[in-house]
Amino acid sequence: MPKIILVGLIVATSQLIGVVTSSFLSLNGSHEILAVWANIESVLALLTAILFFGHQHSLNRDLVSCKSEVVKQQLIRGTQSTIFSLSLVCMLIFGTVSVVLQDIQYAWLAIIIVFIGMSPDFSLYGLSKPVQAGVISLLKVGVPSLTLFFMVFWGLDSLNILFFGVAASYLSAALLVLIFTGIGVRAPIASFNKLKDYLVGYKLGLPTLILTGLRALPVIVSTSFFGASEVVFLVLFYKYLLLGVGVKRLLVQTYYKGISSKLFSLKVDVLCFLGAGLGITVLSYFYKDVMAIIGFDLESDKVIYFICLILVLLNFIGVSNGTRIILLGKDGFYFSVHVVSAIFMISFVVFGGVYGSLSLVFFGGVAAETVLVLGMMAGRVFYETRT
């Protein structure tokens, strides 16, 4: 079986589990717990972005150009030590907050963030191991989703059960990553001197944090400004959007090394855009019917639905542009485009929340993605013509 098909099946399974679970919760009227789960997912995504802070890009860039297996192992261990050191600092912060506020949720986050810090799973792409990376993704998405499903199915409402499922999945994933990368199941070495690396790598770290925030911010903000039904709408849409993002990530990560070739990367771009075009047409038609079953009348607000389609489509234009710019070493440009994109997103989301307009929130997503797409495309053309 070709590698891309196997990876595709794994990625599709993990994303579909999330979509089916979210739809099941919505159909059974579990809007509140779905909103809580959306917040937890968003917080974990942001914490992961803070811990990794661009190290995934710089490490994979080094792994692609490195020929020595010994040096590769040293690079991975060095990066693991850096992110693990910060995870211990975060653990102390969350642990202290948990004691002060008497809130066990922060204690769970303190535990989970250490597991995230143990796991340099992003290095699997630089090592050309997308199948193993897909298994890790399936584990981290599938176990919490199934935990949530059975909680609702059996009428359980304790968040401790959900947090336990999340912690178990992240710990299992971390142990597998240590095996897959070849660095071995051993306690990571903490070196707080390495925390200064976070200041050095801000040009790749902040864009990663911004990109994560662009997708997490609308869900987090919506819980403060909108009702449970609007939050559920956003959650379900983002699950649908992640199906598309998964396809994009599949192609980029499967052929990560090949993208270093200009011609090969263009082939990946064309394949992804044409494949996504057909996929969006079919999925959007059926997804509209699913949303209607759940209870959202998209026909009454065709503007939002149209914006959704544009946002999904934008995700498939020039999928390798960002990776190409990183491989070309243009970190400063990569940073600048993401900052401008974030300004657009934050402005629209804040105004959307203040004025109670879900349309503005979606417009923010379109504006942010448009800036990213056009900016990365212009940067790629400019820098490739100069090399």
Side-chain angles (χ1 to χ4, degrees), residues 82-206:
T82 301
I83 62 176
F84 182 69
S85 300
L86 183 59
S87 74
L88 293 181
V89 175
C90 294
M91 179 192 70
L92 291 175
I93 295 173
F94 282 117
T96 302
V97 172
S98 175
V99 173
V100 172
L101 299 181
Q102 295 294 300
D103 191 337
I104 196 172
Q105 293 186 40
Y106 289 99
W108 278 113
L109 288 175
I111 295 171
I112 294 170
I113 200 167
V114 174
F115 297 156
I116 297 174
M118 290 170 53
S119 174
D121 54 1
F122 47 82
S123 62
L124 292 170
Y125 304 115
L127 294 172
S128 294
K129 295 182 177 181
V131 175
Q132 290 88 333
V135 172
I136 299 300
S137 175
L138 175 60
L139 190 59
K140 291 197 291 189
V141 173
V143 173
S145 294
L146 291 175
T147 301
L148 198 60
F149 177 88
F150 286 113
M151 279 177 61
V152 174
F153 186 78
W154 287 324
L156 305 173
D157 59 1
S158 173
L159 284 180
N160 286 328
I161 298 175
L162 177 57
F163 273 112
F164 178 81
V166 174
S169 67
Y170 275 74
L171 174 59
S172 302
L175 295 176
L176 283 177
V177 167
L178 298 180
I179 295 173
F180 290 156
T181 56
I183 62 177
V185 180
R186 64 180 71 175
I189 300 174
S191 175
F192 294 102
N193 289 329
K194 282 185 166 291
L195 293 179
K196 64 179 183 295
D197 294 346
Y198 282 93
L199 298 177
V200 177
Y202 76 92
K203 289 182 180 178
L204 289 177
L206 282 178

Side-chain angles (χ1 to χ4, degrees), residues 232-354:
V232 171
F233 176 86
L234 278 171
V235 171
L236 293 175
F237 168 71
Y238 273 93
K239 291 293 184 183
Y240 169 58
L241 176 62
L242 285 175
L243 286 174
V245 173
V247 174
K248 178 175 71 173
R249 188 178 299 159
L250 163 67
L251 287 169
V252 172
Q253 294 173 346
T254 301
Y255 299 114
Y256 192 89
K257 284 191 175 181
I259 290 176
S260 58
S261 164
K262 179 180 176 180
L263 180 60
F264 189 87
S265 65
L266 289 174
K267 291 180 180 179
V268 172
D269 289 345
V270 172
L271 175 63
C272 195
F273 184 75
L274 293 179
L278 293 175
I280 287 173
T281 302
V282 176
L283 286 175
S284 297
Y285 176 80
F286 289 108
Y287 191 71
K288 182 172 64 174
D289 294 337
V290 171
M291 293 298 286
I293 293 173
I294 293 172
F296 296 105
D297 185 11
L298 293 178
E299 291 297 328
S300 65
D301 198 343
K302 294 183 179 180
V303 174
I304 289 183
Y305 190 61
F306 183 68
I307 294 173
C308 291
L309 296 183
I310 294 177
L311 187 56
V312 173
L313 183 61
L314 285 171
N315 269 275
F316 294 99
I317 299 176
V319 297
S320 70
N321 289 341
T323 304
R324 283 286 299 169
I325 288 174
I326 291 173
L327 292 174
L328 290 170
K330 306 303 178 182
D331 299 354
F333 180 83
Y334 188 82
F335 169 75
S336 301
V337 173
H338 280 80
V339 169
V340 175
S341 177
I343 292 173
F344 275 90
M345 184 62 170
I346 293 172
S347 300
F348 275 96
V349 169
V350 170
F351 279 111
V354 171

